[in-house]
PDB file of all heavy atoms in Angstrom:
ATOM      1  N   VAL A  57     151.274 142.725  95.991  1.00  0.00           N
ATOM      2  CA  VAL A  57     150.923 144.204  95.866  1.00  0.00           C
ATOM      3  C   VAL A  57     149.996 144.500  96.998  1.00  0.00           C
ATOM      4  O   VAL A  57     148.819 144.093  96.967  1.00  0.00           O
ATOM      5  CB  VAL A  57     150.375 144.550  94.499  1.00  0.00           C
ATOM      6  CG1 VAL A  57     150.081 146.043  94.519  1.00  0.00           C
ATOM      7  CG2 VAL A  57     151.385 144.166  93.331  1.00  0.00           C
ATOM      8  N   LEU A  58     150.437 145.276  97.987  1.00  0.00           N
ATOM      9  CA  LEU A  58     149.650 145.666  99.166  1.00  0.00           C
ATOM     10  C   LEU A  58     148.582 146.787  98.741  1.00  0.00           C
ATOM     11  O   LEU A  58     147.440 146.842  99.242  1.00  0.00           O
ATOM     12  CB  LEU A  58     150.440 146.085 100.334  1.00  0.00           C
ATOM     13  CG  LEU A  58     151.496 145.096 100.773  1.00  0.00           C
ATOM     14  CD1 LEU A  58     152.269 145.759 101.911  1.00  0.00           C
ATOM     15  CD2 LEU A  58     150.839 143.844 101.220  1.00  0.00           C
ATOM     16  N   GLY A  59     149.003 147.639  97.896  1.00  0.00           N
ATOM     17  CA  GLY A  59     148.169 148.755  97.522  1.00  0.00           C
ATOM     18  C   GLY A  59     148.794 149.656  96.441  1.00  0.00           C
ATOM     19  O   GLY A  59     149.992 149.518  96.082  1.00  0.00           O
ATOM     20  N   VAL A  60     147.940 150.461  95.886  1.00  0.00           N
ATOM     21  CA  VAL A  60     148.345 151.380  94.734  1.00  0.00           C
ATOM     22  C   VAL A  60     147.813 152.772  95.124  1.00  0.00           C
ATOM     23  O   VAL A  60     146.577 152.940  95.398  1.00  0.00           O
ATOM     24  CB  VAL A  60     147.830 150.943  93.421  1.00  0.00           C
ATOM     25  CG1 VAL A  60     148.253 151.893  92.290  1.00  0.00           C
ATOM     26  CG2 VAL A  60     148.398 149.486  93.029  1.00  0.00           C
ATOM     27  N   SER A  61     148.665 153.774  94.975  1.00  0.00           N
ATOM     28  CA  SER A  61     148.183 155.155  95.132  1.00  0.00           C
ATOM     29  C   SER A  61     148.442 155.913  93.834  1.00  0.00           C
ATOM     30  O   SER A  61     149.445 155.675  93.136  1.00  0.00           O
ATOM     31  CB  SER A  61     148.924 155.837  96.282  1.00  0.00           C
ATOM     32  OG  SER A  61     150.303 155.906  96.050  1.00  0.00           O
ATOM     33  N   ARG A  62     147.585 156.832  93.605  1.00  0.00           N
ATOM     34  CA  ARG A  62     147.586 157.637  92.363  1.00  0.00           C
ATOM     35  C   ARG A  62     147.116 159.009  92.722  1.00  0.00           C
ATOM     36  O   ARG A  62     146.319 159.132  93.716  1.00  0.00           O
ATOM     37  CB  ARG A  62     146.700 156.983  91.307  1.00  0.00           C
ATOM     38  CG  ARG A  62     146.768 157.625  89.867  1.00  0.00           C
ATOM     39  CD  ARG A  62     145.780 156.962  89.014  1.00  0.00           C
ATOM     40  NE  ARG A  62     146.187 155.599  88.700  1.00  0.00           N
ATOM     41  CZ  ARG A  62     145.459 154.710  87.983  1.00  0.00           C
ATOM     42  NH1 ARG A  62     144.154 155.031  87.646  1.00  0.00           N
ATOM     43  NH2 ARG A  62     145.853 153.522  87.772  1.00  0.00           N
ATOM     44  N   ARG A  63     147.553 160.038  92.021  1.00  0.00           N
ATOM     45  CA  ARG A  63     147.133 161.396  92.371  1.00  0.00           C
ATOM     46  C   ARG A  63     145.644 161.527  92.271  1.00  0.00           C
ATOM     47  O   ARG A  63     145.010 162.227  93.064  1.00  0.00           O
ATOM     48  CB  ARG A  63     147.716 162.406  91.355  1.00  0.00           C
ATOM     49  CG  ARG A  63     149.370 162.543  91.683  1.00  0.00           C
ATOM     50  CD  ARG A  63     149.959 163.469  90.529  1.00  0.00           C
ATOM     51  NE  ARG A  63     151.419 163.593  90.837  1.00  0.00           N
ATOM     52  CZ  ARG A  63     152.191 164.054  89.982  1.00  0.00           C
ATOM     53  NH1 ARG A  63     151.832 164.611  88.833  1.00  0.00           N
ATOM     54  NH2 ARG A  63     153.547 164.089  90.234  1.00  0.00           N
ATOM     55  N   THR A  64     145.078 160.898  91.265  1.00  0.00           N
ATOM     56  CA  THR A  64     143.558 160.768  91.342  1.00  0.00           C
ATOM     57  C   THR A  64     143.275 159.362  91.807  1.00  0.00           C
ATOM     58  O   THR A  64     144.049 158.448  91.591  1.00  0.00           O
ATOM     59  CB  THR A  64     142.992 161.020  89.883  1.00  0.00           C
ATOM     60  OG1 THR A  64     143.621 160.009  89.054  1.00  0.00           O
ATOM     61  CG2 THR A  64     143.277 162.391  89.432  1.00  0.00           C
ATOM     62  N   ASN A  65     142.193 159.167  92.552  1.00  0.00           N
ATOM     63  CA  ASN A  65     141.837 157.927  93.196  1.00  0.00           C
ATOM     64  C   ASN A  65     141.808 156.824  92.061  1.00  0.00           C
ATOM     65  O   ASN A  65     141.149 156.940  91.003  1.00  0.00           O
ATOM     66  CB  ASN A  65     140.532 158.013  93.801  1.00  0.00           C
ATOM     67  CG  ASN A  65     140.600 158.706  95.150  1.00  0.00           C
ATOM     68  OD1 ASN A  65     141.681 158.610  95.817  1.00  0.00           O
ATOM     69  ND2 ASN A  65     139.478 159.256  95.638  1.00  0.00           N
ATOM     70  N   PRO A  66     142.532 155.711  92.249  1.00  0.00           N
ATOM     71  CA  PRO A  66     142.497 154.611  91.356  1.00  0.00           C
ATOM     72  C   PRO A  66     140.963 154.054  91.200  1.00  0.00           C
ATOM     73  O   PRO A  66     140.257 154.030  92.113  1.00  0.00           O
ATOM     74  CB  PRO A  66     143.349 153.500  91.994  1.00  0.00           C
ATOM     75  CG  PRO A  66     144.222 154.311  92.936  1.00  0.00           C
ATOM     76  CD  PRO A  66     143.397 155.435  93.412  1.00  0.00           C
ATOM     77  N   ALA A  67     140.768 153.716  89.933  1.00  0.00           N
ATOM     78  CA  ALA A  67     139.308 153.327  89.597  1.00  0.00           C
ATOM     79  C   ALA A  67     138.924 151.941  90.143  1.00  0.00           C
ATOM     80  O   ALA A  67     137.834 151.862  90.689  1.00  0.00           O
ATOM     81  CB  ALA A  67     139.171 153.357  88.097  1.00  0.00           C
ATOM     82  N   GLY A  68     139.714 151.016  89.993  1.00  0.00           N
ATOM     83  CA  GLY A  68     139.189 149.642  90.429  1.00  0.00           C
ATOM     84  C   GLY A  68     138.748 148.850  89.245  1.00  0.00           C
ATOM     85  O   GLY A  68     139.285 148.958  88.112  1.00  0.00           O
ATOM     86  N   PRO A  69     137.679 147.957  89.371  1.00  0.00           N
ATOM     87  CA  PRO A  69     136.821 147.820  90.538  1.00  0.00           C
ATOM     88  C   PRO A  69     137.487 147.292  91.784  1.00  0.00           C
ATOM     89  O   PRO A  69     136.824 147.340  92.850  1.00  0.00           O
ATOM     90  CB  PRO A  69     135.697 146.907  90.042  1.00  0.00           C
ATOM     91  CG  PRO A  69     136.457 146.000  89.001  1.00  0.00           C
ATOM     92  CD  PRO A  69     137.411 146.923  88.362  1.00  0.00           C
ATOM     93  N   ASP A  70     138.578 146.631  91.551  1.00  0.00           N
ATOM     94  CA  ASP A  70     139.311 146.165  92.731  1.00  0.00           C
ATOM     95  C   ASP A  70     140.788 146.256  92.442  1.00  0.00           C
ATOM     96  O   ASP A  70     141.205 146.815  91.407  1.00  0.00           O
ATOM     97  CB  ASP A  70     138.855 144.660  93.024  1.00  0.00           C
ATOM     98  CG  ASP A  70     139.155 143.758  91.826  1.00  0.00           C
ATOM     99  OD1 ASP A  70     139.827 144.151  90.854  1.00  0.00           O
ATOM    100  OD2 ASP A  70     138.540 142.650  91.755  1.00  0.00           O
ATOM    101  N   LEU A  71     141.582 145.773  93.370  1.00  0.00           N
ATOM    102  CA  LEU A  71     143.074 146.017  93.276  1.00  0.00           C
ATOM    103  C   LEU A  71     143.562 145.133  92.022  1.00  0.00           C
ATOM    104  O   LEU A  71     144.350 145.754  91.218  1.00  0.00           O
ATOM    105  CB  LEU A  71     143.776 145.521  94.515  1.00  0.00           C
ATOM    106  CG  LEU A  71     145.272 145.880  94.610  1.00  0.00           C
ATOM    107  CD1 LEU A  71     145.539 147.344  94.498  1.00  0.00           C
ATOM    108  CD2 LEU A  71     145.852 145.403  95.935  1.00  0.00           C
ATOM    109  N   GLY A  72     143.200 143.886  91.913  1.00  0.00           N
ATOM    110  CA  GLY A  72     143.695 143.085  90.867  1.00  0.00           C
ATOM    111  C   GLY A  72     143.264 143.589  89.511  1.00  0.00           C
ATOM    112  O   GLY A  72     144.012 143.417  88.562  1.00  0.00           O
ATOM    113  N   GLY A  73     142.133 144.233  89.393  1.00  0.00           N
ATOM    114  CA  GLY A  73     141.610 144.682  88.129  1.00  0.00           C
ATOM    115  C   GLY A  73     142.040 146.154  87.801  1.00  0.00           C
ATOM    116  O   GLY A  73     141.670 146.660  86.800  1.00  0.00           O
ATOM    117  N   LEU A  74     142.834 146.728  88.665  1.00  0.00           N
ATOM    118  CA  LEU A  74     143.305 148.122  88.450  1.00  0.00           C
ATOM    119  C   LEU A  74     144.260 148.077  87.247  1.00  0.00           C
ATOM    120  O   LEU A  74     145.171 147.399  87.153  1.00  0.00           O
ATOM    121  CB  LEU A  74     144.009 148.652  89.618  1.00  0.00           C
ATOM    122  CG  LEU A  74     144.646 150.055  89.510  1.00  0.00           C
ATOM    123  CD1 LEU A  74     143.628 151.156  89.452  1.00  0.00           C
ATOM    124  CD2 LEU A  74     145.531 150.267  90.612  1.00  0.00           C
ATOM    125  N   ARG A  75     144.007 149.038  86.253  1.00  0.00           N
ATOM    126  CA  ARG A  75     144.919 149.251  85.104  1.00  0.00           C
ATOM    127  C   ARG A  75     146.015 150.294  85.575  1.00  0.00           C
ATOM    128  O   ARG A  75     145.672 151.428  85.956  1.00  0.00           O
ATOM    129  CB  ARG A  75     144.187 149.629  83.870  1.00  0.00           C
ATOM    130  CG  ARG A  75     143.275 148.505  83.374  1.00  0.00           C
ATOM    131  CD  ARG A  75     142.709 148.855  81.979  1.00  0.00           C
ATOM    132  NE  ARG A  75     141.824 147.722  81.520  1.00  0.00           N
ATOM    133  CZ  ARG A  75     142.357 146.623  80.934  1.00  0.00           C
ATOM    134  NH1 ARG A  75     143.592 146.485  80.692  1.00  0.00           N
ATOM    135  NH2 ARG A  75     141.437 145.700  80.540  1.00  0.00           N
ATOM    136  N   LEU A  76     147.239 149.870  85.407  1.00  0.00           N
ATOM    137  CA  LEU A  76     148.353 150.690  85.816  1.00  0.00           C
ATOM    138  C   LEU A  76     148.564 151.900  84.944  1.00  0.00           C
ATOM    139  O   LEU A  76     148.400 151.815  83.663  1.00  0.00           O
ATOM    140  CB  LEU A  76     149.604 149.881  85.888  1.00  0.00           C
ATOM    141  CG  LEU A  76     149.607 148.797  86.980  1.00  0.00           C
ATOM    142  CD1 LEU A  76     150.771 147.898  86.770  1.00  0.00           C
ATOM    143  CD2 LEU A  76     149.635 149.391  88.400  1.00  0.00           C
ATOM    144  N   LYS A  77     148.969 153.008  85.541  1.00  0.00           N
ATOM    145  CA  LYS A  77     149.219 154.331  84.784  1.00  0.00           C
ATOM    146  C   LYS A  77     150.602 154.752  85.213  1.00  0.00           C
ATOM    147  O   LYS A  77     151.155 154.486  86.257  1.00  0.00           O
ATOM    148  CB  LYS A  77     148.191 155.353  85.117  1.00  0.00           C
ATOM    149  CG  LYS A  77     146.756 154.971  84.804  1.00  0.00           C
ATOM    150  CD  LYS A  77     146.553 154.833  83.309  1.00  0.00           C
ATOM    151  CE  LYS A  77     145.041 154.502  83.016  1.00  0.00           C
ATOM    152  NZ  LYS A  77     144.837 154.351  81.571  1.00  0.00           N
ATOM    153  N   ALA A  78     151.259 155.525  84.375  1.00  0.00           N
ATOM    154  CA  ALA A  78     152.528 156.125  84.647  1.00  0.00           C
ATOM    155  C   ALA A  78     152.373 157.023  85.924  1.00  0.00           C
ATOM    156  O   ALA A  78     151.409 157.846  85.957  1.00  0.00           O
ATOM    157  CB  ALA A  78     153.073 156.989  83.531  1.00  0.00           C
ATOM    158  N   GLY A  79     153.275 156.895  86.801  1.00  0.00           N
ATOM    159  CA  GLY A  79     153.196 157.650  88.053  1.00  0.00           C
ATOM    160  C   GLY A  79     152.543 156.994  89.197  1.00  0.00           C
ATOM    161  O   GLY A  79     152.607 157.440  90.330  1.00  0.00           O
ATOM    162  N   ASP A  80     151.996 155.778  88.943  1.00  0.00           N
ATOM    163  CA  ASP A  80     151.379 155.017  90.098  1.00  0.00           C
ATOM    164  C   ASP A  80     152.354 154.581  91.022  1.00  0.00           C
ATOM    165  O   ASP A  80     153.513 154.128  90.588  1.00  0.00           O
ATOM    166  CB  ASP A  80     150.621 153.796  89.525  1.00  0.00           C
ATOM    167  CG  ASP A  80     149.268 154.046  88.883  1.00  0.00           C
ATOM    168  OD1 ASP A  80     148.840 155.360  89.000  1.00  0.00           O
ATOM    169  OD2 ASP A  80     148.643 153.233  88.288  1.00  0.00           O
ATOM    170  N   SER A  81     152.084 154.645  92.310  1.00  0.00           N
ATOM    171  CA  SER A  81     153.031 154.119  93.372  1.00  0.00           C
ATOM    172  C   SER A  81     152.455 152.743  93.832  1.00  0.00           C
ATOM    173  O   SER A  81     151.257 152.650  94.208  1.00  0.00           O
ATOM    174  CB  SER A  81     153.038 155.085  94.512  1.00  0.00           C
ATOM    175  OG  SER A  81     153.723 156.317  94.137  1.00  0.00           O
ATOM    176  N   LEU A  82     153.326 151.755  93.805  1.00  0.00           N
ATOM    177  CA  LEU A  82     152.922 150.436  94.234  1.00  0.00           C
ATOM    178  C   LEU A  82     153.598 150.065  95.554  1.00  0.00           C
ATOM    179  O   LEU A  82     154.838 150.211  95.641  1.00  0.00           O
ATOM    180  CB  LEU A  82     153.240 149.342  93.185  1.00  0.00           C
ATOM    181  CG  LEU A  82     152.232 149.156  92.075  1.00  0.00           C
ATOM    182  CD1 LEU A  82     152.094 150.375  91.207  1.00  0.00           C
ATOM    183  CD2 LEU A  82     152.658 147.892  91.233  1.00  0.00           C
ATOM    184  N   TRP A  83     152.862 149.671  96.595  1.00  0.00           N
ATOM    185  CA  TRP A  83     153.439 149.139  97.803  1.00  0.00           C
ATOM    186  C   TRP A  83     153.539 147.697  97.630  1.00  0.00           C
ATOM    187  O   TRP A  83     152.491 146.898  97.514  1.00  0.00           O
ATOM    188  CB  TRP A  83     152.514 149.522  98.992  1.00  0.00           C
ATOM    189  CG  TRP A  83     152.353 151.034  99.125  1.00  0.00           C
ATOM    190  CD1 TRP A  83     151.322 151.783  98.682  1.00  0.00           C
ATOM    191  CD2 TRP A  83     153.289 151.929  99.771  1.00  0.00           C
ATOM    192  NE1 TRP A  83     151.577 153.094  98.987  1.00  0.00           N
ATOM    193  CE2 TRP A  83     152.767 153.225  99.688  1.00  0.00           C
ATOM    194  CE3 TRP A  83     154.491 151.738 100.414  1.00  0.00           C
ATOM    195  CZ2 TRP A  83     153.405 154.286 100.218  1.00  0.00           C
ATOM    196  CZ3 TRP A  83     155.108 152.875 100.982  1.00  0.00           C
ATOM    197  CH2 TRP A  83     154.610 154.105 100.751  1.00  0.00           C
ATOM    198  N   VAL A  84     154.687 147.102  97.616  1.00  0.00           N
ATOM    199  CA  VAL A  84     155.020 145.699  97.255  1.00  0.00           C
ATOM    200  C   VAL A  84     155.712 145.054  98.467  1.00  0.00           C
ATOM    201  O   VAL A  84     156.599 145.573  99.074  1.00  0.00           O
ATOM    202  CB  VAL A  84     155.864 145.619  95.992  1.00  0.00           C
ATOM    203  CG1 VAL A  84     156.022 144.141  95.573  1.00  0.00           C
ATOM    204  CG2 VAL A  84     155.209 146.378  94.871  1.00  0.00           C
ATOM    205  N   ALA A  85     155.192 143.846  98.738  1.00  0.00           N
ATOM    206  CA  ALA A  85     155.820 143.092  99.819  1.00  0.00           C
ATOM    207  C   ALA A  85     156.386 141.729  99.338  1.00  0.00           C
ATOM    208  O   ALA A  85     155.779 141.102  98.430  1.00  0.00           O
ATOM    209  CB  ALA A  85     154.777 142.739 100.962  1.00  0.00           C
ATOM    210  N   GLY A  86     157.481 141.353  99.951  1.00  0.00           N
ATOM    211  CA  GLY A  86     158.126 140.071  99.565  1.00  0.00           C
ATOM    212  C   GLY A  86     159.389 139.845 100.233  1.00  0.00           C
ATOM    213  O   GLY A  86     159.779 140.672 101.145  1.00  0.00           O
ATOM    214  N   SER A  87     160.176 138.880  99.870  1.00  0.00           N
ATOM    215  CA  SER A  87     161.451 138.612 100.478  1.00  0.00           C
ATOM    216  C   SER A  87     162.402 139.659  99.983  1.00  0.00           C
ATOM    217  O   SER A  87     162.231 140.350  98.979  1.00  0.00           O
ATOM    218  CB  SER A  87     161.957 137.242 100.061  1.00  0.00           C
ATOM    219  OG  SER A  87     162.207 137.135  98.664  1.00  0.00           O
ATOM    220  N   ARG A  88     163.534 139.794 100.641  1.00  0.00           N
ATOM    221  CA  ARG A  88     164.571 140.852 100.263  1.00  0.00           C
ATOM    222  C   ARG A  88     165.125 140.561  98.874  1.00  0.00           C
ATOM    223  O   ARG A  88     165.245 141.405  98.106  1.00  0.00           O
ATOM    224  CB  ARG A  88     165.639 140.823 101.262  1.00  0.00           C
ATOM    225  CG  ARG A  88     166.809 141.791 100.962  1.00  0.00           C
ATOM    226  CD  ARG A  88     167.844 141.911 102.023  1.00  0.00           C
ATOM    227  NE  ARG A  88     167.265 142.491 103.258  1.00  0.00           N
ATOM    228  CZ  ARG A  88     167.870 142.695 104.379  1.00  0.00           C
ATOM    229  NH1 ARG A  88     169.210 142.379 104.457  1.00  0.00           N
ATOM    230  NH2 ARG A  88     167.321 143.190 105.417  1.00  0.00           N
ATOM    231  N   GLU A  89     165.206 139.289  98.635  1.00  0.00           N
ATOM    232  CA  GLU A  89     165.817 138.822  97.317  1.00  0.00           C
ATOM    233  C   GLU A  89     164.813 139.190  96.144  1.00  0.00           C
ATOM    234  O   GLU A  89     165.234 139.712  95.112  1.00  0.00           O
ATOM    235  CB  GLU A  89     166.107 137.346  97.244  1.00  0.00           C
ATOM    236  CG  GLU A  89     167.227 136.856  98.224  1.00  0.00           C
ATOM    237  CD  GLU A  89     166.836 136.826  99.695  1.00  0.00           C
ATOM    238  OE1 GLU A  89     165.538 136.872  99.868  1.00  0.00           O
ATOM    239  OE2 GLU A  89     167.659 136.800 100.551  1.00  0.00           O
ATOM    240  N   ALA A  90     163.513 138.976  96.442  1.00  0.00           N
ATOM    241  CA  ALA A  90     162.464 139.279  95.354  1.00  0.00           C
ATOM    242  C   ALA A  90     162.450 140.787  95.251  1.00  0.00           C
ATOM    243  O   ALA A  90     162.338 141.235  94.040  1.00  0.00           O
ATOM    244  CB  ALA A  90     161.180 138.716  95.856  1.00  0.00           C
ATOM    245  N   LEU A  91     162.516 141.575  96.247  1.00  0.00           N
ATOM    246  CA  LEU A  91     162.440 142.997  96.082  1.00  0.00           C
ATOM    247  C   LEU A  91     163.658 143.539  95.349  1.00  0.00           C
ATOM    248  O   LEU A  91     163.631 144.488  94.585  1.00  0.00           O
ATOM    249  CB  LEU A  91     162.241 143.603  97.409  1.00  0.00           C
ATOM    250  CG  LEU A  91     160.919 143.459  98.145  1.00  0.00           C
ATOM    251  CD1 LEU A  91     160.968 144.034  99.544  1.00  0.00           C
ATOM    252  CD2 LEU A  91     159.851 143.998  97.349  1.00  0.00           C
ATOM    253  N   GLN A  92     164.817 142.914  95.591  1.00  0.00           N
ATOM    254  CA  GLN A  92     166.038 143.354  94.920  1.00  0.00           C
ATOM    255  C   GLN A  92     165.955 143.079  93.441  1.00  0.00           C
ATOM    256  O   GLN A  92     166.391 143.824  92.595  1.00  0.00           O
ATOM    257  CB  GLN A  92     167.296 142.732  95.612  1.00  0.00           C
ATOM    258  CG  GLN A  92     167.603 143.233  96.916  1.00  0.00           C
ATOM    259  CD  GLN A  92     168.825 142.495  97.601  1.00  0.00           C
ATOM    260  OE1 GLN A  92     169.133 141.457  97.111  1.00  0.00           O
ATOM    261  NE2 GLN A  92     169.368 143.142  98.547  1.00  0.00           N
ATOM    262  N   SER A  93     165.338 141.913  93.178  1.00  0.00           N
ATOM    263  CA  SER A  93     165.143 141.506  91.721  1.00  0.00           C
ATOM    264  C   SER A  93     164.192 142.520  91.084  1.00  0.00           C
ATOM    265  O   SER A  93     164.402 142.851  89.882  1.00  0.00           O
ATOM    266  CB  SER A  93     164.636 140.128  91.652  1.00  0.00           C
ATOM    267  OG  SER A  93     164.393 139.742  90.319  1.00  0.00           O
ATOM    268  N   LEU A  94     163.193 142.944  91.789  1.00  0.00           N
ATOM    269  CA  LEU A  94     162.229 143.851  91.243  1.00  0.00           C
ATOM    270  C   LEU A  94     162.900 145.190  90.871  1.00  0.00           C
ATOM    271  O   LEU A  94     162.516 145.805  89.858  1.00  0.00           O
ATOM    272  CB  LEU A  94     160.997 144.058  92.209  1.00  0.00           C
ATOM    273  CG  LEU A  94     159.920 145.028  91.857  1.00  0.00           C
ATOM    274  CD1 LEU A  94     159.077 144.360  90.749  1.00  0.00           C
ATOM    275  CD2 LEU A  94     159.050 145.345  93.010  1.00  0.00           C
TER     276      LEU A  94
END
């Protein structure tokens, strides 16, 4: 997970500790096969 964007700034305290909400956009990196599975 490269980053997360939310209409209001994500709280944190860091990326791994961020609690996901409906509407969050996740920028995800991986192989083509992994992304297709996602």
Side-chain angles (χ1 to χ4, degrees):
V57 178
L58 302 180
V60 178
S61 63
R62 186 181 294 169
R63 288 176 183 170
T64 57
N65 282 333
D70 55 17
L71 187 58
L74 175 72
R75 292 192 179 274
L76 293 169
K77 303 291 183 184
D80 283 354
S81 291
L82 276 65
W83 301 96
V84 185
S87 65
R88 177 173 297 180
E89 294 76 15
L91 291 175
Q92 286 176 345
S93 177
L94 182 68

